[in-house]
Amino acid sequence: DDKARVRGQARVLATLALAFSCLYLVTGDDGAPGGPLFALLVIYVTAYAGGNVTGRCGLPPLLGMLVVGLVLRNAPVLGEHVGSQVDPRISSAIRLGALALILTRAGLAFDIAALRRLLFVVARLAALPCLSEAIVVFLLAVWLLDFSPAWAAMLGFVVAPISPAVVVPSLLSLQDRGFGTSTGIPTMVVAAAPLDDVLSIAGFGICLGFGAAGSSSTDEWLTYARAPLELVLGLGVGALGAAALAVLCPAAEAAVGAAEAASAVNADGASVQSRLTLLLGTAVTAAFGLKKAGFSGASALSVLVLAAGAARAWGPTGAK
């Protein structure tokens, strides 16, 4: 129906106009064209539109969002008035918050039995590709770019890590469609992603210690111990958060049917909304707290462990 299509497009345009006008009237110059909040809203709207376009073409929506981001940051006029206006601190906080949300969702869908069965495979998957790529980049940087060994190794560990924000949603999509669930492949890759980041950050820190002159002995020991320290912190903070959530919100009583499961309330009055609020609040606190303390690799691991532990404590009904 043409009239329905026109009304739908009019609603979209009216919503956009109201969003921009409300932003300007509430925030003033920051929400005006050229302001940081205006730039964020433009990026959100155009990235969402770009993802829809590539999705309708049968391509991953993330590809369209990446293309839009590149254009808004590097195009002559758009880069000056949109891309360069975003505050790096706000951008970093948004990225970390989105990563915490993605890893929380991944942890809730974690298959603990498959992880136990594939524990050594996860360790190999986290270490071997990362180290192999870092070594290849190291050799090429020394040979082609004439880098010193320490700086070439740092470049290798910068290039090597994968992005959980890209890998995890793709694996969750495959898991929702039933691909690889019998062999535990989604769980294996999701578990290896934050460990890969921990190893890369630790390797970079160790190589930086060799490349930077004049560092104290205390700094050197902290650099060398970063890998096990980030691993212990990530596992410990996540486990403590999951234990606290299990105490605050005990497992819900068995519910029959989707409607009852969605509105299930246990004997202590812990509803789905309270579980969600406490889980997301704890995940964001762990992610930002560990990053502020200088352990950004442990932040991703802690959120994954937190969500997986909470899902195991709450059971299938409570996790859903």
Side-chain angles (χ1 to χ4, degrees), residues 9-306:
Q9 294 173 353
R11 284 194 296 269
V12 172
L13 294 176
T15 302
L16 292 176
L18 288 172
F20 282 105
S21 61
C22 290
L23 181 67
Y24 172 70
L25 294 174
V26 171
T27 62
D29 292 339
D30 288 340
L37 298 180
F38 178 84
L40 282 175
L41 185 56
V42 170
I43 291 172
Y44 173 78
V45 172
T46 53
Y48 186 81
N52 280 338
V53 170
T54 54
R56 293 181 179 181
C57 296
L59 299 173
L62 183 61
L63 177 61
M65 297 179 184
L66 289 173
V67 171
V68 169
L70 288 172
V71 172
L72 292 178
R73 185 65 179 89
N74 298 290
V77 178
L78 293 174
E80 180 181 354
H81 293 89
V82 178
S84 62
Q85 298 301 320
V86 179
D87 190 339
R89 293 174 300 176
I90 297 177
S91 176
S92 176
I94 292 174
R95 288 198 305 269
L96 185 57
L99 179 61
L101 182 62
I102 291 170
L103 291 177
T104 300
R105 183 191 168 202
L108 290 175
F110 225 54
D111 188 348
I112 302 296
L115 180 62
R116 288 176 178 173
R117 188 175 70 250
L118 302 170
L119 186 60
F120 293 104
V121 179
V122 169
R124 294 198 300 270
L125 183 62
L128 293 181
C130 175
L131 294 177
S132 300
E133 188 172 353
I135 291 172
V136 171
V137 174
F138 164 78
L139 295 175
L140 291 177
V142 171
W143 178 39
L144 298 177
L145 303 178
D146 199 23
F147 277 24
S148 66
W151 285 94
M154 278 190 276
L155 178 62
F157 282 111
V158 167
V159 176
I162 64 174
S163 174
V166 176
V167 174
V168 172
S170 302
L171 266 296
L172 292 178
S173 176
L174 293 176
Q175 180 173 288
D176 292 340
R177 287 180 282 173
F179 292 105
T181 54
S182 60
T183 56
I185 291 176
T187 297
M188 177 179 64
V189 178
V190 168
L195 296 178
D196 178 279
D197 285 352
V198 169
L199 180 60
S200 298
I201 292 172
F204 178 84
I206 292 173
C207 297
L208 181 62
F210 285 111
S215 58
S216 64
S217 59
T218 303
D219 293 337
E220 289 182 0
W221 280 110
L222 181 61
T223 298
Y224 300 146
R226 175 165 290 274
L229 186 59
E230 294 226 19
L231 185 62
V232 170
L233 278 175
L235 294 173
V237 170
L240 287 176
L245 291 178
V247 172
L248 292 174
C249 301
E253 296 178 350
V256 181
E260 293 184 14
S263 60
V265 178
N266 62 17
D268 292 332
S271 64
V272 175
Q273 289 78 12
S274 63
R275 292 175 189 272
L276 179 62
T277 302
L278 288 171
L279 176 60
L280 290 180
T282 309
V284 171
T285 301
F288 280 86
L290 286 172
K291 183 180 180 181
K292 191 174 183 62
F295 299 100
S296 55
S299 63
L301 181 60
S302 67
V303 173
L304 188 64
V305 173
L306 166 70

